Amino acid sequence: MGLGIKKGDTVAVLAGKEKGKKGRIISVLTDKAGKGGKVLVEKLNIIKRHTKPSKTHEQGGIIEKEGPIHASNVMLVCPKCGARTKIAAHMQADGGKLRVCKKCKEVID
Ligand SMILES: [Zn+2]
């Protein structure tokens, strides 16, 4: 996903049932084509999964876990200025890239 959102970022959800909520990215998932990823956001878009009894879970039951949210439906919340922002790339002399907030121009990492 290039200079997109990363694990540990705080994002705001722009659409869907969690619209308006904020949370921390716990995982970034890329699709088979390697683009248009989805993200798991801590405690958001919780889905319930019924599990059958097994050797490790004798009772079976319901597991609650975060469901994927399309990356285009979330926006980074800048850790510096607190605004919802897009990420700009800042090229470094050594060829590396840093992520920069488009609003406050601060380097995010
Ligand atoms: Zn900012």
Side-chain angles (χ1 to χ4, degrees), residues 78 81 101 104:
C78 174
C81 68
C101 171
C104 68

Side-chain angles (χ1 to χ4, degrees), residues 71-102:
S72 64
N73 286 340
V74 302
M75 203 166 186
L76 180 73
V77 176
C78 174
K80 308 288 182 182
C81 68
R84 294 177 188 183
T85 187
K86 288 188 174 167
I87 299 164
H90 176 75
M91 297 294 291
Q92 291 182 291
D94 66 1
K97 289 178 190 169
L98 290 174
R99 298 188 304 161
V100 176
C101 171
K102 278 197 174 175

Side-chain angles (χ1 to χ4, degrees), residues 17 44-49 63-68:
K17 68 173 183 174
L44 293 187
N45 200 32
I46 295 295
I47 54 173
K48 290 180 180 178
R49 263 211 193 146
I63 293 176
E64 293 191 353
K65 57 182 282 186
E66 286 84 359

